[in-house]
Amino acid sequence: NKFGGFMLNITVGLAGIFLSLPVGILLALGRRSQLPFVRIFCIGFIEVFRGVPLITMMFTAAMLLPLFLPPQMSLDLVVRVIVVVTAFASAYMAEVIRGGLAAIDRGQYEAAQALGLSYWKSMLLIILPQALKYSIPGIVNTFIALFKDTTLVIVIGLFDILNIGRSMVANPDWLGLGIETYAIIALSFFTVCFSISRYSLSLERRLDTSR
């Protein structure tokens, strides 16, 4: 209950980023699976979370999710938010990675089969490394959008940097300092998002095999 400020945005954002990528990869592979149950489940998961606004998911995490948990089980609100944000970002990540998988030439799959590699070995060693390289711009775009969306925790009463900024501006001791307050908030988000985009550009140059 004492957790808040920009550290809350960083925690929710980084947790969503690091958890949504592997979940998104599994969802993308599941959507292309030949197993009907796996494919239908993944398609349903992706379409539901892509079709519902994140702010609605936030309210679900805050108010409805505890109703479906056992009475003896209690999840902290921040943990519930991280779960919802991760699921929401994973749905978008799955579609980005699916686009990267679709960009892989059919010959790569056939070459993996000719080498006698199993499905998971061919994916881990041949297909996914290329698909992820193609998907870097879309992945980074999803990461940046996810980090900016962490400010939506304000609607369920969590005190992130934006909510604290609003409280400070409403304080009589801080009257007239609204521009400075929101400028610092904007600068904080810009610094993180710009750093992510610069790192992605350097990563693209390092992985460029055309040079």
Side-chain angles (χ1 to χ4, degrees):
N1 59 351
K2 296 180 181 180
F3 196 73
F6 197 51
M7 184 57 66
L8 177 61
N9 297 97
I10 292 288
T11 301
V12 174
L14 290 182
I17 286 172
F18 286 112
L19 294 175
S20 65
L21 183 57
V23 176
I25 292 173
L26 293 176
L27 287 172
L29 294 176
R31 183 160 189 164
R32 295 162 56 93
S33 173
Q34 300 298 320
L35 300 175
F37 174 76
V38 174
R39 185 173 65 255
I40 292 172
F41 173 79
C42 292
I43 292 174
F45 184 95
I46 292 170
E47 296 303 328
V48 167
F49 279 91
R50 288 179 69 225
V52 179
L54 180 57
I55 192 170
T56 305
M57 297 291 180
M58 292 286 186
F59 280 115
T60 302
M63 301 177 184
L64 299 181
L65 188 59
L67 300 178
F68 296 96
L69 297 176
Q72 67 275 12
M73 185 177 180
S74 177
L75 285 179
D76 187 82
L77 182 57
V78 175
V79 177
R80 281 180 267 155
V81 167
I82 290 175
V83 171
V84 169
V85 167
T86 299
F88 184 83
S90 298
Y92 283 88
M93 193 68 65
E95 290 299 281
V96 172
I97 295 170
R98 188 166 69 93
L101 290 171
I104 303 297
D105 187 80
R106 183 63 191 172
Q108 298 293 315
Y109 294 90
E110 294 173 351
Q113 292 175 354
L115 291 172
L117 297 178
S118 64
Y119 173 80
W120 287 109
K121 281 189 175 181
S122 63
M123 281 295 168
L124 292 175
L125 299 177
I126 297 177
I127 306 302
L128 276 179
Q130 298 179 73
L132 291 176
K133 185 180 74 170
Y134 292 146
S135 305
I136 286 176
I139 291 174
V140 172
N141 185 58
T142 305
F143 284 167
I144 291 175
L146 170 64
F147 185 73
K148 292 188 296 183
D149 284 344
T150 58
T151 55
L152 291 176
V153 298
I154 193 174
V155 301
I156 55 176
L158 290 178
F159 275 82
D160 71 321
I161 187 173
L162 184 60
N163 205 357
I164 288 180
R166 289 180 57 189
S167 302
M168 291 168 60
V169 173
N171 191 321
D173 295 334
W174 292 80
L175 290 180
L177 296 176
I179 295 177
E180 292 85 346
T181 301
Y182 289 116
I184 290 296
I185 294 173
L187 182 62
S188 301
F189 278 97
F190 174 79
T191 301
V192 174
C193 295
F194 185 75
S195 301
I196 294 175
S197 65
R198 291 296 96 185
Y199 176 74
S200 72
L201 288 177
S202 66
L203 188 61
E204 284 185 69
R205 286 193 294 268
R206 193 161 65 247
L207 297 177
D208 185 11
T209 56
S210 64
R211 295 183 290 112

